[in-house]
Amino acid sequence: MDSLTPSVGGFSVEGSEWGTPKRSIIHLNSKTIPVYSQREKSNQIVTDMKYSILSFIILAFTCVGLFAQGTLRGNMYDGESGEPIIYGNVRLEGTSLGATTDLDGFYSIANVPAGTYNLIGTYVGYDSTLVEVKIADNKITYQRLEIRDGGVDLATVNVSGRREQARSDVQISKMTVSPKQIRSLPSTGGVADIAQYLPVLPGVIVTGDQGGQLYIRGGSPIQNKILLDGMTIYNPFHSIGFFSVFETETIRSIDVLTGGFNAEYGGRISAIVDIKTREGNKKRYGGNVSVNPFQSKVLFEGPIKKLNSDTGASSSFMITGKHSYINETADVFYDYPPISETGLPYNFTDLYGKVSFLAGNGTKLNLFGFNFQDRVDFVDVAKLNWTTTGGGANFTLVPPNSSVVIDGTVGFSDYGIELDESDGNPRTSGITNLLARLNFSTFLQNSQFQYGFVFNGLNTDFRFRNFLGNTIEQRDFTTELAAYVKLKQTLGKIIFEPSLRAQIYASQADVSIEPRLGVKYNITDDFRFKFAGGLYSQNLVSSVNEQDIVNLFVGFLAGPEETIFKPGTREETDHRLQKATHAIAGFEVDASNELTLNLEGYFKDFTQLISLNRNKLSEQDPNFATETGQAYGVDFSAKYETKDLYLWGTYSLGFVNRFDGEQTYPTIFDRRHNVNLLATHNFGGGDLWEASARWNMGSGFPFTLTQGFYSQYNFTDGLDTDLLSGNANLGILYSEDRNDGRLPYYHRLDVSLKRTFEFSKYSKLEAVLSVTNAYNRENIFFFDRVEYERVNQLPILPSLGLNFSF
């Protein structure tokens, strides 16, 4: 459909039950066409891979056995809450041996000579801690560290753990976002949400406030994988684009990998957003309650068995829920155009719960479950509902006498969406996912070796009717298997990170071998060069078309098992996967203790893209269409941070195009220039006041120009169709050059002011006054050519929110 026409949504194949390959059936109107699966061809491939994987396991465990001597490892925790300390520094006094803690607070120092040492743990804003440890030959020593808030002025700390991490990891095209950073952003309704923070990052583009899509360095939403505790979330953002399904107060960290990611991740060809939640408070009961004009939410957490300071063992729980009612409050608080004309008919409910068990040596088990619901009701136009339900477990196993650390995830999720439009033709889609993942890590003195295996089972059920009345259905089951290996090696000033992933697509009878490489060169302590690149593939296809700016119906299909053709030809493709190649290079500079600069250039070559053929005219036409494309550009970011002031600025220059066999054209999300500026300042006695502002400016998105209009008849009565007095639809004549026009520039200012009232050590109230689109900029969303009506994005939205923590 046209890039400026709103769309709220088009497929189903019968056949497979879980784990039982069967013949697929495609229904097109009243005709039934058998499509024979090629899964049988995959059996030999899977068998061959089993022998390769088995050989690899034997080799890996043989290598692991060679490096199990003189190792010190442990975890660093906050002494108050029991939360792990991320990017803390650990070193052995009087030596050059040390390490930086990871997201679980885990550290490992290998090849330590036998003897007695003072182990020192430090972290920004905390008092350092010192513990005596004894290291023996051929032994692994575990030492747990607790550090406590020391009230240190952060501005006086010269070296942070995060900066040390930047020097010791490749981290190209990777941004780690903390809950504190999310909360620093002026937010709609005073509610901090990752959906509002992601567009602040370089290379990330959002097309609109309502039903807009998230694009990362030229990758469409289906090409970006969103993970929650290791599980894929297929629709992570609610229909009103300000809010995601994730609760900020439960998040431990968010890694945004905009390209060039290593072989640990797979199944997507553009980007990864990896969200990890924290455990509940291990020492005391507490929670959070908030209310604002958009939604209310509550969180409650605490120990099941309190943390034992001697053994380090504990168990805890955390449960949170939020519910929106903007569809009811919009008439009261925002009764002005254009909201008063259509309202804000959005409603959602999100639930998440987690139970955690922690052993004294860093071994842990987390059980979690979630239910996310979204509802949209445009009266007499369309009604949409979707639900995601799932749960699982992830674990970390730290054997006391082995240098291998094992972690894994097992989970199940079910996503279903249904759209009922006024035309009486419902669209439905469902995807059920069964996941099992196992990783093995070995920490050596100057290197880290990691490998793992992934099983991913997908069951899709899809039904779509296009504008010509042709119905496309798919009901299918497919299995994806993967094995990967990764080595991180430090050689002087160079960090070398080669990795390799073998991705098996059983339904395609295909194996994708994907080498990847990351390199960082520490030219000086404050100036670093970095590079990453690799090959990527995926099988999953989305019903969302890259030509749609607005699309609330997000459905999923397994990749085609039928013959597909190269763009604009009848020549069969070499494979039926979507594939891409990434190449990224850049510099990062610590200009001062407070200022960090980052510059990256990137190139993504999408050698094959597959989409649903929504313009299918007859049963002879293929169900899927192919394209190729490229995305390239430069991203620049600058961060300035002191105790009371946080400044963040980004500029992105980007180019995104596609080739459909006829012409090369810019996509509707090809934003040439994008600027984000963010400022947060704490002031007043005890820094109880916080003022924030965020300004975004972006050049206009492309659209296809209109040449004229004509009377469009569907000839539903054949030759008896009355052409003289019958009512014809208004047909549109588009320019021959796709997306040859540009919308006006977009810009918006959001501001907020927060006052904190502290009642006790653990209880406080935050009052947040926020204004979204503060100067009421009329930013165009799309233009309805048939009604000849401009539709703008949301106007000024002031709000007052209260947030009580205890």
Side-chain angles (χ1 to χ4, degrees), residues 497-518:
E497 190 176 85
S499 59
L500 179 68
R501 187 179 185 92
Q503 189 86 21
I504 307 172
Y505 298 98
S507 64
Q508 303 294 348
D510 201 349
V511 177
S512 178
I513 303 299
E514 302 168 7
R516 302 172 191 177
L517 175 65

Side-chain angles (χ1 to χ4, degrees), residues 710-714 727-731:
Y710 66 96
S711 297
Q712 183 184 50
Y713 292 90
N714 291 331
N727 293 322
N729 296 321
L730 183 63

